[in-house]
Amino acid sequence: MLDDVIKAYNEAVLDTDRTRALQIVSDAVAQGVSPEDIVFNVVIPGLDLMVKALSEGFDTNLAQHFMTSQIAANVTEKMLESFQSPPEIIGHVVIGSAVGDLHTLGKRIVIGCLKAQMIEVIDLGVNVPAERFVSEALAHNAQVIGVSAMMVHTARGENGAIKVRRLLQEQGLEHKIKLVVGGAPFRYDPELYKVVQADAWAENGVSALKVIMDCIQEVKNNDHEHG
Amino acid sequence: MTTSMDRLAAAANGKIIDHIPVFCNLLDQGARELGLSIEDYFSKGEHVAEAQIKMQKKFGHDNVWSLFYVGKEAELFGCKKICYATDGPPNVEDYIIQNYADIECLQVPDDLSAHPKFAETAKCLQILKREVGGKVPICAYLTASMSLPAILMGMENWMELLMIGPVEVRDLLLEKCSDFFRKEIEAYRNAGADILVYADPYGSTDIIPMKLFKDLSLKWMKRDLEPGGLNGVVYYVGGARLNSVADEVIREVGIHAYYPGPLDDVTESMRIINGRALCAGVINDIKLLDWTPGQVREEVRRIVQGGLQVNNKFFFGTVVMPYGIPEENIKAMILAAKEFGRTTDG
Ligand code: B12
């Protein structure tokens, strides 16, 4: 039964049909599927499947990433209200647009995917100075700083991700906080994340989820080693 | 002597006179050329015209631009705040549509040619026309009705309205944007623009699903372009990929020139278009920041030969060239495009 729900839900998501996806979920709940099952055995495996398909070259568009993330976040939020006990938070992420950059859609998509995976995200908004990325990451015990930049000068600029890296270095935080970047310039130049000294980048919102989860895991492993 | 205009006309007929037309989209670079800050530079039409002409003489490409920055279109609609950078393009900072009620109140300016925010553009066009008119194609940039909402309300809010918002609000906004477009293209034509770049990222299946493209993008494209006709219009999807929709646009709308994205396979673009229209081979200009002149030359060779292997209805182009590209790479690119874009058969 759950398999059918997963299949129908995924199809609706890829069709960018939010109404149908939500209907499938509420029908399943009405038939006795628990909210926990919906999140952990429908929504999250759905995202995993998409990550896998993308890594195998499956072609998607921006609207699909937007809808995948919105539906996943909507469903999760709704289901969480009726969880028996609060779920375990996997990690913390602060995300924002680089200094001088006012674009918001990229981070919104990434945030939706992360939330559905029980990662707590703090949205720092747009035009975020490097210092703020670092201080907020510390204040929220974040394992990952996400910087979104839609133009070349905000992606590569000396006050953007590069400065975040410098601050992390200067403050000896590199084993505790990973730097992940994304946005159009990184898609046109897959080597660019190295130029700005980020630990990782992602081509789209759904892949960002996997990349960020890996970074969180790495920091947690470092934590164990360090103490 | 062969002019850039002659080259373009020849290309449209599948001929090469001396070399293929080489389009080079230098915008913010004009500020550096005149030794001005980007903000000062864009405050005057005279600056833009002067720098465009200077850069065209210096680099020897085949087009000049009347575009300052895309956010100007939002200014025509009443946007009051533009965010200037010292090393990149200006961006819209305040969105005139904050909620759906604002769409209801949105006023399409009556007479664009007389609009104060159009005055500097008109001045720029007037100078370009006087100095290089009829010799060098003068380009204008116009955002399609399906894509214009992105700078009136932000990409995020537009995506949300488009995908899950009320249909009647979406359509009202599209209608206003389309009304605006029709006036805008007329104003640009009257002011002397030859090449009208129809910018429509929401006409690419990188951005929206094919179904939405067929149901909406095509419909609004037809409405936008219907009164003024297709003369000089180039279909440009904002640097996104074009190949999946090119055939449909040719058959349904009939535009005569196409500008694929740098991530499209150029030979495939040319095969799809198959001589029915002019097509550009477009370089990934973000890479021009780091490539060596030798690498630039190789990449231009790959693109130009990849296009000309299908037929000669072909020209070379860039997307929106980042400010920081070294001049030696711009020169290497243009030189190579001319070298590899020569006719082999006479
Ligand atoms: C749509 C579009 C437009 C529209 C809307 C712009 C707007 N308001 O945002 C229009 C036509 C109006 C436009 C105008 C301009 N544009 Co434009 N535009 C695009 C286009 C096609 C998509 C950009 C976009 O918003 N995508 C939405 C985001 C969310 O999509 P995405 O990048 O796929 O996001 C995914 C990943 O990047 C990732 N991600 C994003 N953030 C993050 C963060 C983290 C941490 C991680 C892990 C992942 C991640 O996940 C996302 C979701 O899947 C791109 C080309 C392209 N194909 O990308 C050019 C592009 C961004 N534009 C560009 C430019 C230059 C401009 C202008 C500045 C031109 C000018 N001189 O005026 C103007 C600016 C207008 C303004 N804002 O004032 C350039 C930028 C590169 C450069 N040269 O600097 C591009 C790349 C085109 C190009 N190759 O030249 N544009």
Side-chain angles (χ1 to χ4, degrees):
Chain A
M1 142 105 199
L2 213 49
D3 282 348
D4 293 341
V5 178
I6 296 173
K7 188 163 173 284
Y9 172 83
N10 272 346
E11 275 171 15
V13 168
L14 278 183
D15 280 349
T16 67
D17 190 339
R18 186 174 70 155
T19 315
R20 199 166 95 222
L22 297 182
Q23 190 61 49
I24 289 161
V25 167
S26 67
D27 289 352
V29 172
Q31 285 172 33
V33 179
S34 74
E36 284 84 349
D37 259 346
I38 294 285
V39 174
F40 293 111
N41 296 322
V42 178
V43 176
I44 293 180
L47 287 168
D48 288 345
L49 267 180
M50 197 157 152
V51 172
K52 189 161 170 287
L54 289 170
S55 70
E56 288 163 0
F58 179 67
D59 206 13
T60 49
N61 55 66
L62 182 64
Q64 279 173 322
H65 286 278
F66 173 72
M67 293 304 288
T68 303
S69 121
Q70 291 319 289
I71 296 168
N74 284 171
V75 171
T76 306
E77 197 178 336
K78 222 165 142 189
M79 293 298 121
L80 277 176
E81 291 166 7
S82 12
F83 265 39
Q84 298 288 336
S85 56
E88 188 196 344
I89 297 296
I90 292 183
H92 293 82
V93 172
V94 297
I95 190 168
S97 301
V99 106
D101 202 304
L102 307 166
H103 293 84
T104 59
L105 179 57
K107 69 178 170 60
R108 157 119 172 231
I109 295 175
V110 175
I111 290 170
C113 294
L114 294 176
K115 279 190 170 159
Q117 194 92 29
M118 303 302 143
I119 295 171
E120 209 157 272
V121 203
I122 292 95
D123 182 357
L124 303 178
V126 298
N127 192 12
V128 180
E131 291 78 5
R132 203 170 147 234
F133 274 114
V134 176
S135 64
E136 297 276 358
L138 283 172
H140 293 96
N141 276 324
Q143 292 89 0
V144 173
I145 292 176
V147 180
S148 182
M150 219 47 68
M151 288 168 301
V152 164
H153 71 285
T154 55
R156 299 175 64 120
E158 55 188 37
N159 292 317
I162 287 184
K163 188 163 180 192
V164 174
R165 164 60 66 211
R166 211 185 66 220
L167 296 173
L168 291 176
Q169 238 163 25
E170 284 170 6
Q171 298 175 28
L173 296 170
E174 288 179 297
H175 64 288
K176 278 176 71 175
I177 302 174
K178 296 285 155 197
L179 173 61
V180 181
V181 292
F186 298 100
R187 289 190 299 103
Y188 284 92
D189 183 357
E191 299 296 305
L192 183 57
Y193 81 100
K194 291 183 196 157
V195 176
V196 305
Q197 298 169 31
D199 293 299
W201 78 290
E203 191 172 6
N204 54 61
V206 177
S207 317
L209 176 59
K210 160 115 181 47
V211 167
I212 289 174
M213 298 255 291
D214 289 348
C215 285
I216 292 175
Q217 200 48 53
E218 200 186 320
V219 171
K220 284 188 170 169
N221 292 344
N222 288 345
D223 273 358
H224 286 298
E225 281 164 28
H226 285 256
Chain B
M1 210 182 92
T2 306
T3 65
S4 298
M5 207 62 135
D6 298 334
R7 276 180 205 114
L8 189 61
N13 290 313
K15 299 214 160 43
I16 301 174
I17 304 176
D18 47 0
H19 57 76
I20 57 171
V22 179
F23 274 38
C24 189
N25 302 331
L26 295 161
L27 301 173
D28 320 322
Q29 288 81 358
R32 192 167 48 213
E33 201 59 40
L34 301 190
L36 296 172
S37 74
I38 289 177
E39 182 166 6
D40 280 347
Y41 172 65
F42 284 127
S43 66
K44 290 257 175 298
E46 288 92 336
H47 294 161
V48 175
E50 183 191 344
Q52 283 292 329
I53 293 167
K54 259 181 112 170
M55 290 191 290
Q56 194 270 333
K57 289 221 168 87
K58 174 157 135 190
F59 296 118
H61 49 287
D62 288 306
N63 66 319
V64 290
W65 272 101
S66 66
L67 169 67
F68 293 32
Y69 48 87
V70 177
K72 265 219 168 278
E73 288 176 284
E75 292 185 283
L76 287 168
F77 255 115
C79 162
K80 296 264 178 317
K81 202 154 174 217
I82 295 291
C83 169
Y84 288 95
T86 55
D87 52 358
N91 263 235
V92 171
E93 185 160 355
D94 109 273
Y95 293 119
I96 55 168
I97 300 173
Q98 294 288 337
N99 51 50
Y100 292 165
D102 289 342
I103 293 174
E104 200 70 50
C105 310
L106 190 69
Q107 289 276 351
V108 179
D110 224 11
D111 182 1
L112 273 187
S113 302
H115 196 294
K117 286 286 176 192
F118 191 73
E120 295 302 327
T121 305
K123 225 181 279 168
C124 170
L125 273 159
Q126 195 185 17
I127 300 170
L128 291 176
K129 203 174 162 192
R130 187 182 72 217
E131 298 296 324
V132 300
K135 296 191 288 265
V136 183
I138 301 171
C139 301
Y141 178 104
L142 302 101
T143 307
S145 52
M146 266 291 276
S147 298
L148 189 61
I151 46 169
L152 303 181
M153 65 196 305
M155 259 311 255
E156 178 179 351
N157 292 330
W158 174 226
M159 187 58 92
E160 186 174 302
L161 172 55
L162 187 64
M163 298 306 293
I164 44 184
V167 171
E168 55 304 341
V169 178
R170 175 198 79 188
D171 286 347
L172 178 65
L173 177 57
L174 283 167
E175 193 178 325
K176 291 189 179 186
C177 288
S178 182
D179 287 347
F180 173 81
F181 181 91
R182 290 164 161 210
K183 292 187 176 173
E184 193 185 19
I185 196 164
E186 194 189 343
Y188 272 105
R189 279 192 168 118
N190 290 342
D194 308 300
I195 304 291
L196 302 139
V197 173
Y198 182 78
D200 197 7
Y202 282 81
S204 162
T205 55
D206 272 356
I207 305 291
I208 58 167
M210 183 55 99
K211 183 170 179 338
L212 210 54
F213 169 81
K214 288 188 174 166
D215 290 350
L216 277 185
S217 311
L218 274 177
K219 169 177 146 189
W220 289 96
M221 216 180 293
K222 286 180 195 163
R223 188 184 188 279
D224 289 350
L225 296 168
E226 192 261 321
L230 300 172
N231 218 350
V233 173
V234 179
Y235 190 59
Y236 165 68
V237 282
R241 286 176 300 176
L242 165 88
N243 285 355
S244 65
V245 300
D247 181 62
E248 200 87 21
V249 179
I250 294 179
R251 283 190 292 108
E252 290 285 321
V253 191
I255 296 174
H256 311 305
Y258 293 81
Y259 214 91
L263 303 181
D264 278 304
D265 175 336
V266 60
T267 307
E268 193 192 333
S269 308
M270 288 290 286
R271 290 213 173 104
I272 294 168
I273 293 172
N274 194 20
R276 292 176 291 173
L278 187 60
C279 174
V282 179
I283 196 165
N284 184 352
D285 48 21
I286 289 177
K287 298 286 281 183
L288 289 177
L289 289 158
D290 296 315
W291 275 331
T292 62
Q295 287 173 309
V296 173
R297 186 171 184 283
E298 261 318 290
E299 182 58 11
V300 175
R301 186 175 66 84
R302 185 190 69 76
I303 293 169
V304 174
Q305 293 179 346
L308 289 179
Q309 114 191 25
V310 181
N311 63 55
N312 288 347
K313 284 199 173 185
F314 181 71
F315 66 115
F316 178 85
T318 66
V319 198
V320 191
M321 293 171 75
Y323 186 74
I325 297 175
E327 283 201 357
E328 57 172 0
N329 279 356
I330 303 177
K331 287 178 181 154
M333 177 185 79
I334 294 172
L335 215 67
K338 291 181 179 177
E339 177 188 338
F340 297 114
R342 286 218 170 88
T343 179
T344 43
D345 53 19

